[in-house]
Amino acid sequence: MLRRLGRADRWAFDRVAAARLRGLEYVLPRLSRFADHGVLWFTAAGVMGLTGRARLRRAALRGSIAIAVASPAVNILGKQAFRRKRPVVDLVPPIRIRWKLPTSHAFPSGHSASAAAFATGVALEAPRPVAGPVAATAAAVAFARVYTGAHYPGDVLAGLGIGALAGLGTRVVWPARPPVAQVGRSGERARAADDGRGLVVVANSGSGAGGEAPAGISLPGRPEVALALLGRELPAAEIVRLDPDADVDKAFDEAAERADVLGVVGGDGTVNAAAGAALRHGVPLLVVPGGTFDHFARALGVESAAQAVAAYRSGELGRVDVAYAAPADGGAGRDEERLFLNTASFGAYTELVDRRERLEGRIGKWPALAVAAVRTLRHSEPVELRVDGHPRRVWLAFVGNGVFGSRGAAPTWRGRLDDGRLDVRMIVTGRRVPRVRAVAAILAGHLHVTPGYRAWRTSGLEVVASDGELRLARDGEVSTLPPAVRFGKHAGALAVFRPAAG
């Protein structure tokens, strides 16, 4: 069987290497040469990183990591283990002999492994218009290795297999993020006038401030850009700007009373307040991203004001879950529930938010977040709690509205927004907090390797604080709750505009 495969491999090599492909005789050898040492792929990764799009940055990083795994596996292990000689190049046309052939062993093909690793990594994250050309380029590089006489087809196929496995293997340590979270189709459609009549948009112009602009330069904030687009595309819509000292809940309630559709421009905290008003008044919610993170808007697949306008005009609604924290005295009604669309956290995370808010006015939001994280992880202490009746010393705790896919301290993406479950993650400690290992795990995005890590999915949770109150951060906003708190969900309660299918 091996002899037959060897003969078939040499026969295929002879046919490909002796072929004359008009126009490609100049392109393929140069493409193969450009792929030496991964130059082609790392250049592509750099270009994708410079686009500023989160999906393309993740794709570039995943592809580069896959190459870092596949290349040593082939060049250090595979070639030394098999030591197959390079093909005889007598049949290679003269135009291609000018390219210096490698002197290392042939099996498997390192160029093919790197090409497949990068293309697979990109395909796991990037949209098809990007993943398709990358895959086509990888296939051309692999074909060029045979066409230029550097490898037998069997070498190339083995390299492609190893590279594809390396790319898929990155999901073990870094799960691939879906482009958007799934939202069940409710069959409902909203009355959406082309000019925006009946839409009331409440805007928080202070959202998304990442720091001061350079001296002498006036830059419009992201909410202002979104409002300008809404005013141009939906001129009949009513726009309400929140004052810095305004009662946010009251402003949203008043807007929802007279709205057919309630819109919100702002970050996750502002969207949280809008969701509460939309639930109380039974109107659908249009989310326009305008904050620093915009986790909920991105989960819906709305990453810009233009996409929000398109979703509004489509009239297509989906229903998402809304999680809550409420006093656990058995008599709390909806008025006492503290809602959250993304996450609720207690323990060290609330200290981090407090420190960040004290610093961001002086040094900007992102530097303040970094400084606050370092200080909190160094100095925070566990809190004494009873979790579902069990005593626990909790250092860091996270409750997600839906099951999150990432494994970091603050997971950021979900597969669905209507799964009916809470995602609970905690670091439970003894007398000593495992700070060094915990910090390393948080930075690496793998909280589950920290000692005392606990994780489970549930439909409800009860937490009782021993010191008389529970500090809770909901969608980035910190508040104080009674000592006994229960977490639960309203499944499919909130109607939201979602991008049209496709």
Side-chain angles (χ1 to χ4, degrees), residues 47-437:
V47 172
M48 285 191 284
L50 291 174
T51 62
R53 295 180 60 185
R55 288 187 67 187
L56 295 187
R57 288 198 301 266
R58 292 195 305 270
L61 180 58
R62 188 181 293 277
S64 300
I65 293 173
I67 291 177
V69 173
S71 184
V74 168
N75 294 306
I76 298 177
L77 299 178
K79 291 189 176 183
Q80 297 305 316
F82 293 99
R83 295 178 174 271
R84 187 183 190 186
K85 293 182 179 179
R86 295 279 174 178
V88 177
V89 296
D90 293 342
L91 295 176
V92 179
I95 189 64
R96 303 201 295 276
I97 285 181
R98 293 183 305 167
W99 296 94
K100 182 180 178 181
L101 293 175
T103 57
S104 61
H105 301 295
F107 186 91
S109 167
H111 283 68
S112 302
S114 294
F118 187 79
T120 303
V122 169
L124 290 174
E125 298 282 1
R128 290 181 181 178
V130 174
V134 170
T137 305
V141 169
F143 179 76
R145 300 306 290 170
V146 181
Y147 187 64
T148 57
H151 285 284
Y152 291 107
D155 306 336
V156 169
L157 291 175
L160 290 174
I162 293 172
L165 287 175
L168 293 172
T170 61
R171 301 181 66 172
V172 175
V173 295
W174 184 18
R177 176 176 180 168
V180 297
Q182 295 293 318
V183 179
R185 299 182 184 278
S186 65
E188 303 173 78
R189 295 190 66 83
R191 292 185 300 168
D194 288 341
D195 60 357
R197 192 175 307 277
L199 170 64
V200 180
V201 180
V202 181
N204 182 2
S205 299
S207 296
E212 297 298 325
I217 299 178
S218 177
L219 297 176
R222 191 178 182 191
E224 296 299 326
V225 174
L227 290 175
L229 179 67
L230 291 173
R232 183 174 68 250
E233 297 290 331
L234 304 171
E238 178 186 349
I239 295 178
V240 179
R241 296 174 182 266
L242 287 175
D243 295 327
D245 56 350
D247 184 329
V248 176
D249 290 332
K250 181 180 178 181
F252 276 110
D253 276 326
E254 291 175 350
E257 284 179 357
R258 61 180 183 274
D260 295 326
V261 173
L262 179 63
V264 55
V265 178
D268 288 311
T270 309
V271 173
N272 182 306
L279 281 176
R280 288 189 291 272
H281 296 274
V283 295
L285 182 66
L286 174 66
V287 179
V288 183
T292 303
F293 300 111
D294 297 317
H295 290 314
F296 186 71
R298 289 179 178 176
L300 286 174
V302 180
E303 298 193 12
S304 67
Q307 289 178 331
V309 171
Y312 170 76
R313 284 180 170 156
S314 75
E316 187 171 337
L317 297 178
R319 287 202 167 264
V320 302
D321 296 348
V322 178
Y324 64 86
D329 57 9
R334 283 209 176 188
D335 290 343
E336 296 183 68
E337 293 176 352
R338 307 294 179 88
L339 306 179
F340 58 96
L341 298 174
N342 301 308
T343 63
S345 300
F346 46 93
Y349 188 76
T350 58
E351 298 180 32
L352 185 152
V353 175
D354 288 337
R355 287 189 169 101
R356 186 206 71 194
E357 290 179 346
R358 288 196 297 267
L359 291 170
E360 65 183 20
R362 289 178 286 167
I363 63 176
K365 181 169 287 188
W366 287 103
L369 181 60
V371 173
V374 172
R375 291 180 179 176
T376 300
L377 295 173
R378 286 182 58 192
H379 302 296
S380 65
E381 294 297 330
V383 292
E384 300 285 347
L385 302 172
R386 294 188 69 85
V387 180
D388 283 340
H390 301 286
R392 296 282 187 263
R393 296 183 77 243
V394 178
W395 185 52
L396 189 69
F398 160 93
V399 182
N401 176 27
V403 177
F404 281 72
S406 51
R407 297 170 175 173
T412 55
W413 61 267
R414 290 158 279 187
R416 297 197 65 87
L417 295 177
D418 57 353
D419 60 11
R421 292 185 288 176
L422 298 173
D423 188 343
V424 184
R425 308 182 189 192
M426 293 183 182
I427 296 180
V428 180
T429 72
R431 293 184 177 180
R432 298 182 60 186
V433 178
R435 297 183 189 277
V436 175
R437 187 169 175 181

Side-chain angles (χ1 to χ4, degrees), residues 1-11 84:
M1 178 63 70
L2 290 176
R3 285 196 297 270
R4 288 180 179 178
L5 289 175
R7 287 196 297 270
D9 203 16
R10 288 188 290 274
W11 178 86
R84 187 183 190 186

